[in-house]
């Protein structure tokens, strides 16, 4: 006689608790954009809370000369990863034996990092900053200004050698960077990105036994961010600040699924589209004002040049998720998840930041954030029903990261993880799940958009804890 596996009692606590964040995964990935709530039987609803706490620390570079890219191990950065939490909700019901509808909410992308010490904090000591930038060649502002005055006379007369001109340009740059840093004395480098997503899904089953299902629907996504670059680590960009206002735009989801209830098998392949956001942004770039005044601009003209309100485009990446489960025996379930996100296509290019960088880096300028590689994420799990109302689970996972070196605002190159979870059926319809994961992060070097290495981050780790309340009815 054929054995039927009971999916409801095999359901696990942590199998749909995605493990992703800027401090422990690739790019800005957070929630993993899970859709498995839609594949539950009958009427189903869930509310999930996730808390992430990571320890990401390393060393800055003692080389703060913007014109020199060599990394020299400097001071400890302290823990730069801020704790982060988010919610996920889902509801789904069957209209009949063919059609199903669902609504999912999650917070797919985000970042939360802050440097509280080292070269990523503005110190405000102009003399010390100039000495650091020039490697002691100019020990103070007065010394730098004196050398600039002497060389400037030769520049006016057109008699400077290339080496002397480079020296003059370097001294002028050192003074400008030191003054820009001093204008934000005591402030920390900080980045925060928040997003929310609402997905509507309509599914249609087909086939002789309704084993196949196609599904799709619209996605509404909202995103906002704030960035502060501080300290000598950022060279000419020190003091740069941007605030991107919340923007709502739209994309879509589409997929195909297969199920075989006799062996508790479910498989689903889900595609999410890119979403283009036209975002209003306010930017401030102190170096622009300093350069403008040096060129003869009035304070009002300099302030106007250094502060800009404009609109730019961010395209959040497409993704593909594969979710799989199958029964091994009537009380044991195996699960697998695979996720791909092309972070190598993703860039953040604020207009003022980009325009200012063109002076030194050519007509295309620099992106504020970019990644070298695409993300691959894999998670394998086993769940065991140990009592009529209790199931436990374990998982192992791997995330490829999005390249090393990577942005200094998220210096982690993927992770390995292990997780444990439990689900308890309080009643026939209501259940509570809880679980946690421990993560070993991949080592990474923090890199500026210019290519300069400004930090080295090794031997970091973190954990994720989650709680889910779910309802399932016929």
């Amino acid at each position: 006689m054929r054995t039927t596996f009971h999916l409801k009692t095999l359901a696990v606590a942590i199998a749909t608790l995605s493990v992703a964040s800027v401090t422990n995964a690739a790019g800005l990935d957070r929630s993993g954009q899970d859709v498995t709530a839609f594949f539950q039987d009958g009427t189903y609803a869930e509310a999930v809370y996730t808390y992430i706490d990571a320890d990401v620390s390393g060393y800055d570079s003692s080389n703060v000369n913007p014109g020199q890219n060599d990394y020299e191990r400097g001071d400890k950065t302290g823990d730069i990863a801020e704790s982060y939490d988010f919610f996920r909700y889902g509801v789904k019901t069957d209209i009949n034996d063919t059609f199903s509808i669902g609504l999912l909410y999650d917070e797919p992308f985000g970042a939360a990092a802050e440097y509280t010490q080292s070269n990523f904090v503005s110190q405000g000591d102009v003399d010390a900053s100039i000495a650091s930038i020039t490697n002691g060649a100019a020990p103070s502002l007065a010394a730098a200004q004196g050398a600039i005055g002497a060389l400037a006379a030769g520049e006016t007369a057109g008699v400077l050698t290339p080496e002397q001109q480079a020296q003059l340009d370097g001294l002028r740059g050192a003074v400008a960077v030191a003054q820009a840093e001093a204008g934000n004395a005591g402030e920390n480098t900080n980045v925060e990105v928040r997003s929310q997503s609402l997905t509507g899904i309509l599914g249609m089953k087909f086939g002789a036994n309704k084993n196949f299902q196609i599904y799709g629907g619209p996605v509404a996504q909202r995103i906002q961010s704030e960035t502060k670059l501080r300290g000598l680590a950022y060279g000419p960009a020190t003091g740069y600040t941007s605030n991107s206002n919340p923007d709502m735009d739209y994309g879509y989801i589409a997929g195909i699924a297969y199920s075989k209830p006799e062996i508790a098998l479910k498989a689903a392949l889900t595609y999410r589209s890119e979403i283009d956001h036209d975002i209003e942004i306010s930017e401030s770039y102190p170096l622009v004002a300093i350069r403008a005044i040096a060129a003869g601009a009035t304070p009002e003209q300099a302030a106007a040049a250094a502060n800009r309100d404009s609109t730019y485009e961010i395209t959040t990446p497409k993704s593909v998720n594969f979710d799989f489960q199958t029964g091994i025996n009537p009380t044991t379930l195996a699960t697998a998840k695979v996720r791909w996100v092309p972070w190598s296509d993703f860039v953040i290019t604020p207009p003022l930041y980009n325009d200012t960088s063109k002076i030194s880096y050519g007509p295309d300028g620099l992106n504020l954030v970019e990644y070298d590689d695409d993300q691959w994420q894999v998670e394998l799990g086993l769940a065991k029903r140990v009592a009529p109302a209790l199931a436990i689970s374990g998982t192992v996972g791997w995330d490829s990261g999005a390249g090393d070196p990577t942005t200094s605002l998220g210096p982690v190159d993927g992770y390995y993880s292990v997780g444990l979870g439990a689900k308890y059926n309080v009643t026939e319809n209501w259940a509570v799940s809880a679980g946690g994961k421990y993560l070993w992060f991949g080592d990474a070097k923090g890199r500026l958009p210019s290519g300069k290495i400004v930090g080295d981050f090794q031997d970091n780790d973190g954990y994720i804890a989650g709680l889910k309340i779910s309802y399932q009815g016929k």
Side-chain angles (χ1 to χ4, degrees), residues 18-32 50-56 80-86 108 110-113 375-377 397-402 409-417 437-442 460-465:
S18 183
V19 185
S21 87
V22 74
T23 58
N24 58 38
L28 302 179
D29 212 20
R30 281 288 183 183
S31 72
T50 303
Y51 177 82
I52 301 169
D53 193 0
D55 183 350
V56 178
I80 72 166
E82 296 187 294
S83 60
Y84 192 96
D85 61 355
F86 58 89
Q375 172 193 12
W376 285 92
Q377 189 181 95
W398 168 78
D399 187 292
S400 67
L409 301 177
V412 166
D413 187 26
Y415 64 80
Y416 290 93
S417 71
K437 291 183 180 179
Y438 181 79
L439 304 101
W440 295 268
F441 302 140
N460 292 310
D461 59 4
Y463 70 88
I464 296 178

Coordinates of all heavy atoms in Angstrom, one line a residue, residues 18-32 50-56 80-86 108 110-113 375-377 397-402 409-417 437-442 460-465:
S18 N 14.6 33.0 5.7 CA 15.7 33.3 4.8 C 16.8 34.0 5.6 O 16.6 34.7 6.6 CB 15.3 34.2 3.7 OG 16.3 34.4 2.8
V19 N 18.0 33.7 5.2 CA 19.2 34.2 5.9 C 19.9 35.2 4.9 O 20.7 34.7 4.1 CB 20.1 33.1 6.3 CG1 21.3 33.6 7.1 CG2 19.4 32.0 7.0
A20 N 19.7 36.5 5.0 CA 20.4 37.4 4.1 C 20.4 38.8 4.6 O 19.3 39.3 5.1 CB 19.7 37.4 2.7
S21 N 21.5 39.5 4.5 CA 21.6 40.9 4.9 C 22.9 41.5 4.3 O 23.8 40.7 4.0 CB 21.5 41.1 6.4 OG 22.8 41.0 7.0
V22 N 23.0 42.8 4.4 CA 24.2 43.4 3.9 C 25.4 43.1 4.8 O 26.5 43.1 4.4 CB 24.1 45.0 3.8 CG1 24.1 45.6 5.1 CG2 25.1 45.6 2.9
T23 N 25.1 42.7 6.0 CA 26.2 42.3 6.9 C 26.4 40.8 6.9 O 27.3 40.4 7.6 CB 25.9 42.7 8.4 OG1 24.7 42.2 8.8 CG2 25.8 44.2 8.5
N24 N 25.7 40.0 6.2 CA 26.0 38.6 6.1 C 25.6 38.0 4.8 O 25.5 36.7 4.7 CB 25.2 37.9 7.3 CG 23.7 38.1 7.2 OD1 23.1 38.1 6.2 ND2 23.1 38.2 8.4
A25 N 25.4 38.7 3.7 CA 25.2 38.1 2.4 C 25.6 39.0 1.3 O 26.3 40.0 1.6 CB 23.7 37.7 2.3
A26 N 25.2 38.7 0.1 CA 25.7 39.4 -1.0 C 24.9 40.7 -1.2 O 23.7 40.7 -1.0 CB 25.6 38.6 -2.3
G27 N 25.6 41.8 -1.7 CA 24.9 43.0 -2.1 C 24.1 43.5 -0.9 O 24.5 43.6 0.2
L28 N 22.8 43.9 -1.2 CA 21.9 44.4 -0.3 C 20.8 43.4 0.1 O 19.8 43.8 0.7 CB 21.2 45.7 -0.8 CG 22.2 46.9 -1.2 CD1 21.3 48.0 -1.8 CD2 23.0 47.3 0.0
D29 N 21.0 42.1 -0.2 CA 20.0 41.1 0.0 C 19.7 41.0 1.5 O 20.6 40.9 2.3 CB 20.5 39.8 -0.6 CG 19.4 38.9 -1.1 OD1 18.3 39.5 -1.4 OD2 19.6 37.7 -1.2
R30 N 18.4 40.9 1.8 CA 17.9 40.8 3.1 C 17.0 39.6 3.4 O 17.4 38.6 4.0 CB 17.1 42.1 3.6 CG 18.0 43.2 3.9 CD 18.7 43.1 5.2 NE 19.5 44.2 5.6 CZ 20.3 44.3 6.7 NH1 20.4 43.3 7.5 NH2 20.9 45.4 6.9
S31 N 15.8 39.6 2.8 CA 14.8 38.6 3.1 C 14.9 37.4 2.3 O 14.4 36.3 2.7 CB 13.4 39.2 2.9 OG 13.1 39.4 1.6
G32 N 15.6 37.4 1.2 CA 15.6 36.2 0.3 C 14.4 36.1 -0.6 O 14.3 35.2 -1.4
T50 N 12.2 38.6 12.1 CA 13.6 38.1 12.0 C 14.5 39.2 12.6 O 14.4 40.4 12.4 CB 14.0 37.9 10.5 OG1 13.1 37.0 10.0 CG2 15.4 37.4 10.4
Y51 N 15.5 38.8 13.4 CA 16.4 39.6 14.1 C 17.8 39.2 13.7 O 18.2 38.0 13.8 CB 16.3 39.6 15.6 CG 17.3 40.5 16.3 CD1 17.2 41.8 16.5 CD2 18.5 39.9 16.8 CE1 18.1 42.6 17.1 CE2 19.4 40.6 17.5 CZ 19.2 42.0 17.7 OH 20.2 42.8 18.3
I52 N 18.7 40.1 13.2 CA 20.0 39.9 12.8 C 21.0 40.6 13.6 O 20.9 41.8 13.8 CB 20.2 40.3 11.3 CG1 19.2 39.5 10.4 CG2 21.6 40.0 10.8 CD1 19.1 40.0 9.0
D53 N 22.0 39.9 14.1 CA 23.1 40.6 14.9 C 24.4 40.0 14.4 O 24.6 38.8 14.5 CB 22.9 40.4 16.4 CG 23.8 41.3 17.2 OD1 24.5 42.1 16.6 OD2 23.8 41.2 18.4
A54 N 25.2 40.9 13.8 CA 26.5 40.4 13.3 C 27.6 41.2 13.9 O 27.5 42.4 14.3 CB 26.5 40.6 11.7
D55 N 28.8 40.6 13.9 CA 30.0 41.2 14.3 C 30.9 41.3 13.1 O 31.5 40.3 12.7 CB 30.7 40.4 15.4 CG 31.9 41.1 16.0 OD1 32.4 42.1 15.4 OD2 32.4 40.7 17.0
V56 N 31.1 42.5 12.5 CA 31.9 42.7 11.4 C 33.0 43.8 11.8 O 32.6 44.9 11.9 CB 31.1 43.1 10.1 CG1 32.1 43.4 9.0 CG2 30.1 42.1 9.8
I80 N 31.3 47.2 12.9 CA 30.6 48.2 12.1 C 29.1 47.8 11.8 O 28.3 48.6 11.2 CB 31.3 48.5 10.8 CG1 31.2 47.3 9.8 CG2 32.7 48.8 11.0 CD1 31.6 47.6 8.4
A81 N 28.8 46.5 12.1 CA 27.4 46.0 11.7 C 26.4 46.4 12.8 O 26.6 45.9 13.9 CB 27.5 44.5 11.5
E82 N 25.4 47.1 12.4 CA 24.3 47.4 13.3 C 23.3 46.3 13.3 O 23.0 45.7 12.3 CB 23.7 48.7 13.0 CG 24.6 49.9 13.1 CD 23.9 51.2 12.9 OE1 23.4 51.5 11.7 OE2 23.8 52.0 13.8
S83 N 22.7 46.0 14.5 CA 21.7 45.0 14.5 C 20.5 45.5 13.7 O 20.3 46.7 13.5 CB 21.2 44.8 16.0 OG 20.7 46.0 16.5
Y84 N 19.7 44.5 13.1 CA 18.7 44.8 12.1 C 17.6 43.8 12.3 O 17.8 42.6 12.5 CB 19.4 44.7 10.8 CG 18.6 45.2 9.6 CD1 18.8 46.5 9.1 CD2 17.6 44.5 9.0 CE1 18.1 47.0 8.0 CE2 16.9 45.0 7.9 CZ 17.1 46.2 7.4 OH 16.4 46.7 6.4
D85 N 16.4 44.3 12.2 CA 15.2 43.4 12.2 C 14.2 43.7 11.2 O 14.2 44.9 10.7 CB 14.6 43.4 13.6 CG 14.0 44.7 14.0 OD1 14.2 45.7 13.3 OD2 13.4 44.8 15.1
F86 N 13.4 42.8 10.8 CA 12.4 43.0 9.8 C 11.3 42.0 9.9 O 11.4 41.0 10.6 CB 12.9 43.0 8.4 CG 13.6 41.8 8.0 CD1 12.9 40.7 7.4 CD2 15.0 41.6 8.1 CE1 13.6 39.6 7.0 CE2 15.6 40.5 7.7 CZ 14.9 39.4 7.2
P108 N 12.8 43.2 1.2 CA 13.8 42.4 0.5 C 15.3 42.9 0.6 O 16.2 42.1 0.6 CB 13.3 42.5 -0.9 CG 12.5 43.7 -1.0 CD 11.9 43.9 0.3
G110 N 18.3 45.8 2.1 CA 18.6 46.8 3.1 C 20.1 46.8 3.5 O 20.9 46.0 3.0
A111 N 20.4 47.7 4.3 CA 21.8 47.9 4.9 C 21.7 48.6 6.2 O 20.9 49.5 6.3 CB 22.7 48.6 3.9
A112 N 22.6 48.3 7.1 CA 22.7 49.0 8.3 C 24.2 48.9 8.9 O 24.5 47.8 9.4 CB 21.7 48.5 9.4
A113 N 25.0 49.9 8.6 CA 26.4 49.8 9.0 C 26.8 51.2 9.5 O 26.4 52.2 9.0 CB 27.3 49.4 7.9
Q375 N 25.4 36.8 -7.0 CA 25.2 36.0 -5.7 C 24.5 34.7 -6.0 O 23.6 34.6 -6.7 CB 24.3 36.8 -4.8 CG 23.8 36.0 -3.6 CD 22.7 36.7 -2.8 OE1 22.1 37.6 -3.3 NE2 22.4 36.2 -1.6
W376 N 25.1 33.7 -5.4 CA 24.5 32.3 -5.4 C 24.3 32.0 -3.9 O 25.3 32.1 -3.1 CB 25.3 31.3 -6.1 CG 25.3 31.4 -7.6 CD1 26.1 32.1 -8.4 CD2 24.3 30.8 -8.4 NE1 25.7 32.0 -9.7 CE2 24.6 31.1 -9.7 CE3 23.2 29.9 -8.2 CZ2 23.9 30.7 -10.8 CZ3 22.5 29.5 -9.3 CH2 22.8 29.9 -10.6
Q377 N 23.1 31.5 -3.6 CA 22.9 31.1 -2.2 C 22.2 29.7 -2.2 O 21.3 29.5 -3.0 CB 21.9 32.1 -1.6 CG 21.7 32.0 -0.1 CD 20.7 33.0 0.5 OE1 19.6 32.8 0.6 NE2 21.3 34.2 0.7
G397 N 24.0 26.1 5.2 CA 23.8 27.0 4.1 C 25.2 27.6 3.6 O 26.2 27.6 4.4
W398 N 25.2 28.2 2.4 CA 26.3 28.8 1.8 C 25.9 30.0 1.0 O 24.9 29.9 0.2 CB 27.1 27.8 1.0 CG 28.2 28.5 0.1 CD1 29.4 28.9 0.5 CD2 28.1 28.7 -1.3 NE1 30.1 29.4 -0.6 CE2 29.3 29.3 -1.7 CE3 27.1 28.5 -2.2 CZ2 29.5 29.7 -3.0 CZ3 27.3 28.8 -3.6 CH2 28.5 29.4 -4.0
D399 N 26.6 31.1 1.1 CA 26.3 32.3 0.2 C 27.6 32.7 -0.4 O 28.6 32.8 0.3 CB 25.7 33.4 1.0 CG 25.3 34.6 0.2 OD1 26.1 35.2 -0.4 OD2 24.1 34.8 0.1
S400 N 27.6 32.9 -1.7 CA 28.8 33.2 -2.5 C 29.4 34.5 -2.2 O 30.6 34.8 -2.4 CB 28.6 33.0 -4.0 OG 27.7 34.0 -4.4
G401 N 28.5 35.5 -1.8 CA 28.9 36.9 -1.7 C 28.9 37.5 -3.1 O 28.5 36.8 -4.1
A402 N 29.3 38.8 -3.2 CA 29.2 39.5 -4.5 C 30.6 40.0 -4.9 O 30.7 40.9 -5.6 CB 28.2 40.6 -4.4
L409 N 31.1 49.8 2.7 CA 29.9 49.9 3.5 C 29.2 48.6 3.8 O 28.2 48.6 4.4 CB 28.9 50.8 2.7 CG 29.4 52.2 2.4 CD1 28.4 53.0 1.5 CD2 29.8 53.0 3.7
G410 N 29.8 47.5 3.3 CA 29.3 46.2 3.6 C 30.4 45.1 3.3 O 30.3 44.3 2.4
P411 N 31.5 45.2 4.1 CA 32.7 44.4 3.7 C 32.7 42.9 4.2 O 33.4 42.5 5.1 CB 33.8 45.1 4.4 CG 33.2 45.7 5.7 CD 31.8 46.1 5.2
V412 N 31.8 42.1 3.6 CA 31.7 40.7 3.8 C 31.6 40.0 2.5 O 30.9 40.4 1.6 CB 30.4 40.4 4.7 CG1 30.1 38.9 4.7 CG2 30.7 40.9 6.1
D413 N 32.2 38.9 2.4 CA 32.2 38.1 1.1 C 31.4 36.8 1.4 O 32.1 35.7 1.6 CB 33.6 37.8 0.6 CG 33.5 37.2 -0.8 OD1 32.5 37.3 -1.5 OD2 34.5 36.5 -1.1
G414 N 30.1 36.8 1.5 CA 29.3 35.6 1.7 C 29.4 35.0 3.1 O 29.9 35.6 4.0
Y415 N 29.0 33.7 3.2 CA 29.0 33.1 4.5 C 28.8 31.6 4.4 O 28.3 31.1 3.4 CB 28.0 33.7 5.5 CG 26.5 33.5 5.0 CD1 25.9 32.2 5.2 CD2 25.9 34.5 4.3 CE1 24.6 32.0 4.7 CE2 24.6 34.3 3.9 CZ 23.9 33.0 4.1 OH 22.7 32.8 3.6
Y416 N 29.1 30.9 5.5 CA 28.6 29.5 5.7 C 27.7 29.6 6.9 O 27.9 30.4 7.8 CB 29.7 28.5 6.0 CG 30.5 28.2 4.8 CD1 31.7 29.0 4.5 CD2 30.2 27.2 3.9 CE1 32.5 28.7 3.4 CE2 30.9 27.0 2.7 CZ 32.1 27.7 2.5 OH 32.8 27.4 1.4
S417 N 26.6 28.7 7.0 CA 25.7 28.8 8.1 C 25.2 27.5 8.5 O 25.2 26.5 7.8 CB 24.5 29.7 7.7 OG 23.6 29.0 6.8
K437 N 20.1 30.8 13.4 CA 21.2 30.4 12.5 C 22.5 31.1 13.0 O 22.5 32.2 13.4 CB 20.9 30.7 11.1 CG 19.8 29.9 10.5 CD 19.6 30.2 9.0 CE 18.5 29.4 8.4 NZ 18.3 29.7 7.0
Y438 N 23.6 30.3 12.9 CA 24.9 30.9 13.2 C 25.6 31.0 11.8 O 25.6 30.1 11.0 CB 25.7 30.1 14.2 CG 27.0 30.6 14.5 CD1 27.2 31.7 15.4 CD2 28.2 30.1 13.9 CE1 28.4 32.2 15.7 CE2 29.4 30.6 14.2 CZ 29.5 31.7 15.1 OH 30.8 32.2 15.4
L439 N 26.3 32.1 11.6 CA 27.0 32.4 10.4 C 28.5 32.7 10.5 O 28.9 33.4 11.4 CB 26.3 33.6 9.6 CG 24.8 33.4 9.4 CD1 24.1 34.3 10.5 CD2 24.5 33.9 8.0
W440 N 29.3 32.1 9.7 CA 30.7 32.4 9.5 C 30.9 33.2 8.3 O 30.6 32.7 7.1 CB 31.6 31.1 9.4 CG 31.6 30.3 10.7 CD1 32.4 30.3 11.7 CD2 30.6 29.2 10.9 NE1 32.1 29.3 12.6 CE2 31.0 28.6 12.2 CE3 29.5 28.7 10.3 CZ2 30.4 27.6 12.8 CZ3 28.9 27.6 10.9 CH2 29.3 27.1 12.1
F441 N 31.3 34.5 8.4 CA 31.4 35.3 7.2 C 32.7 35.2 6.5 O 33.7 34.9 7.1 CB 31.2 36.8 7.6 CG 29.9 37.1 8.4 CD1 29.9 38.0 9.5 CD2 28.7 36.5 8.0 CE1 28.8 38.2 10.1 CE2 27.6 36.8 8.6 CZ 27.6 37.6 9.7
G442 N 32.6 35.3 5.2 CA 33.8 35.3 4.3 C 34.6 36.6 4.5 O 34.1 37.7 4.6
N460 N 34.9 37.1 11.0 CA 33.7 37.7 11.5 C 32.6 36.7 11.5 O 32.6 35.7 10.8 CB 33.3 38.9 10.8 CG 34.3 40.0 11.0 OD1 34.7 40.4 12.1 ND2 34.8 40.6 9.9
D461 N 31.6 36.9 12.4 CA 30.5 36.0 12.5 C 29.2 36.7 12.9 O 29.2 38.0 13.1 CB 30.8 34.9 13.5 CG 31.1 35.4 14.9 OD1 31.0 36.6 15.1 OD2 31.5 34.6 15.7
G462 N 28.1 36.0 13.1 CA 26.9 36.6 13.5 C 25.8 35.6 13.7 O 26.0 34.4 13.5
Y463 N 24.6 36.0 14.1 CA 23.5 35.0 14.2 C 22.2 35.7 13.8 O 22.1 36.9 13.7 CB 23.4 34.6 15.7 CG 23.0 35.6 16.7 CD1 21.6 35.8 16.9 CD2 23.9 36.4 17.3 CE1 21.2 36.8 17.8 CE2 23.5 37.3 18.3 CZ 22.1 37.5 18.5 OH 21.7 38.5 19.4
I464 N 21.3 34.9 13.5 CA 19.9 35.3 13.1 C 18.9 34.5 14.0 O 19.1 33.3 14.2 CB 19.6 35.0 11.6 CG1 20.6 35.9 10.8 CG2 18.2 35.3 11.3 CD1 20.4 35.6 9.3
A465 N 18.0 35.2 14.5 CA 16.9 34.5 15.3 C 15.5 34.9 14.7 O 15.4 36.0 14.2 CB 16.9 35.0 16.8

